[in-house]
């Protein structure tokens, strides 16, 4: 049987990691612009170090990115040559509303994205657009406190109404929030949260998540009203959590860690908070207001599909002394059965099949893998090959409904976690180093032709 005939093979980027041109075209300043490279990066992303404006003591990689803003025609032509059927990218909120709360949008920003979408369609590439990929206008953080303030729901509704109206017929696939569960792990990057001394961080994070979930439901409703052809998905930083052993305490720990992320998708897919989440809120004394109208919209406007990033599985133990390793912003217990990359991420292709089955069994909605990738070219080919085989097994042998697969990323870009260029995820090399020096010249890598063959054969030729 193989992959469906209309399977959407593609690549994925984020505006804050590739666009650059942060002061061009009327764009405002966003949280992702002021996350520095170096030792202060994680304290800022965690919301523990306040940095709402650039300073001369730090370098800010997102401000330059790979300058896709001025290179998008060249880049999309290369994507077309590779045969991409889908390009997952994101909107920079501050290109549309520079401060986030203006009554009218910035036409120059809208025109840029319209041109970009038309360029994609010229090469028969379907845009898959993330509305908010770790992107919050600085003004909304300074004036309102970021997503901890319910006023952001109205600003987000204004944003999505403009997007769905302007790009009707150009874009049919939308994601509301990138890796929405990342708000619990990197809250400034995920939702513009800066914590004050003594603030209850758990309560603040779940309050902000609540506001994003309401906004996501409204976006889904508005999308369907403006264009019934629109398909709206949620997005999860996924990876099944295995128990470290068959000790029931480890099994419970793994289940509990998975629920920490699943609860977001439970709400977006089912339209209400699951019982275990409600009990957690009671224990933590977290008060979440939900108006009758918002409750109705949340129940009636669930997502059409579930998208996910997958880089590795995770592992959990009740024993705090067990060794841990790095992950996609998730420290995890080291799984002794898996190999580890130079970045500390463990490699588990079968874990992708397990994760897909877990999500499909839980929600019974179509899935879309919108991030999966690896650094260094020869290892990348091997990594992607094994993950594509796992996807194929999930479709053929397990009956999982999978819409598409967009690798991270089709072109080298700035790493979200470290701010570096040298992870080199792309099929296309960009001449830019970790210090922001280089010609920005684009060059095809060996994996470019390999992925081109994979797409042309609809996943059959993986050699």
């Amino acid at each position: 049987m193989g992959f469906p005939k209309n399977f959407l093979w593609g690549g994925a980027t984020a505006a804050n990691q590739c666009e650059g041109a942060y002061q061009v075209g009327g764009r405002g300043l966003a949280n992702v612009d002021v996350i520095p490279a170096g030792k202060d990066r994680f304290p800022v992303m965690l919301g523990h170090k306040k940095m709402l404006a650039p300073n001369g003591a730090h370098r800010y990689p997102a401000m330059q990115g790979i300058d896709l803003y001025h290179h998008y025609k060249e880049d999309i032509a290369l994507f077309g040559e590779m045969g991409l059927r889908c390009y997952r990218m994101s909107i920079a909120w501050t290109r549309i509303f520079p401060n986030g709360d203006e009554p009218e949008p910035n036409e120059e920003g809208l025109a840029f994205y319209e041109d970009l979408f038309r360029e994609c369609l010229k090469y028969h590439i379907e845009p898959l657009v993330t509305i908010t990929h770790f992107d919050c206008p600085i003004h909304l953080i300074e004036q309102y406190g970021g997503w901890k303030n319910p006023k952001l729901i109205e600003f987000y509704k204004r944003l999505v109404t403009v997007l769905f109206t302007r790009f009707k017929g150009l874009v049919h696939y939308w994601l509301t929030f990138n890796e929405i569960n990342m708000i619990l792990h990197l809250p400034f990057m995920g939702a513009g949260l800066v914590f004050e001394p003594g603030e209850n961080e758990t309560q603040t994070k779940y309050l902000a998540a609540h506001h994003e979930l309401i906004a996501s439901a409204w976006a889904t409703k508005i999308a369907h009203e403006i264009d019934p052809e629109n398909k709206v998905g949620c997005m999860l930083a996924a990876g099944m959590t295995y128990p470290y052993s068959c000790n029931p305490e480890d099994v419970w720990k793994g289940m509990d860690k998975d629920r920490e992320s699943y609860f977001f998708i439970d709400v977006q897919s089912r339209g209400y908070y699951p019982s275990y989440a409600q009990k957690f809120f009671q224990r933590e004394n977290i008060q979440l207001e939900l108006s009758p109208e918002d409750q109705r919209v949340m129940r009636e406007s669930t997502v059409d599909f579930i998208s996910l990033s997958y880089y590795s599985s995770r592992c959990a133990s009740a024993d705090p002394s067990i060794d841990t390793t790095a992950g996609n912003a998730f420290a995890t217990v080291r799984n002794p059965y898996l190999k580890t990359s130079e970045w500390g991420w463990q490699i588990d292709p079968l874990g992708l099949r397990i994760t897909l089955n877990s999500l499909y069994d839980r929600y019974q909605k179509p899935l879309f893998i919108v991030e999966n990738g690896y650094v260094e070219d020869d290892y990348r080919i091997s990594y992607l090959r094994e993950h594509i085989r796992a996807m194929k097994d999930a479709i053929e042998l397990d009956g999982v409904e999978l819409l598409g697969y967009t690798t991270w990323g089709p072109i080298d870009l700035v790493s979200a976690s470290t701010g570096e260029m040298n992870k080199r995820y792309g099929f296309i090399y960009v001449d830019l180093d970790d210090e922001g020096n280089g010609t920005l010249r684009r060059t095809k890598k060996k994996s470019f032709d390999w992925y081109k063959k994979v797409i042309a054969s609809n996943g059959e030729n993986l050699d």
Side-chain angles (χ1 to χ4, degrees), residues 17 21 40 84 97 114 118 164 189 198 228 271 297 357 365 373 378 458:
Q17 292 168 259
D40 288 331
L84 297 196
F97 290 97
E114 181 174 336
R118 292 191 185 280
F164 299 147
M189 186 168 77
V297 170
N357 274 274
K365 289 196 175 191
D378 290 323
N458 202 30

Side-chain angles (χ1 to χ4, degrees), residues 362-406:
R362 190 178 185 99
Y363 301 116
Q364 296 293 302
K365 289 196 175 191
L367 305 180
F368 203 136
I369 301 168
V370 296
E371 287 185 32
N372 174 243
Y374 192 73
V375 298
E376 211 283 315
D377 219 38
D378 290 323
Y379 285 114
R380 177 185 304 109
I381 291 172
S382 174
Y383 177 97
L384 295 177
R385 178 189 292 122
E386 295 310 311
H387 283 76
I388 290 169
R389 284 175 176 155
M391 284 160 40
K392 188 175 181 182
D393 286 343
I395 294 168
E396 275 191 343
L397 303 180
D398 308 325
V400 170
E401 186 179 357
L402 194 59
L403 298 174
Y405 173 72
T406 60

Side-chain angles (χ1 to χ4, degrees), residues 239-240 242 310 312-313 348-356 387 390:
M240 190 76 180
Y242 306 143
Y310 178 86
S312 182
S313 58
D348 184 11
L350 181 56
L352 175 57
R353 181 181 176 186
I354 294 167
T355 298
L356 291 173
H387 283 76

Side-chain angles (χ1 to χ4, degrees), residues 4-5 73 78 89 113 131 148 162 185 203 300 307 314 383 402 436 438:
K5 188 177 180 181
K73 289 191 177 182
L78 285 166
M89 44 81 67
Y113 289 113
I131 297 164
K148 68 177 76 173
V162 167
H185 305 278
Q203 289 187 10
E300 293 177 358
S307 74
R314 300 162 195 152
Y383 177 97
L402 194 59

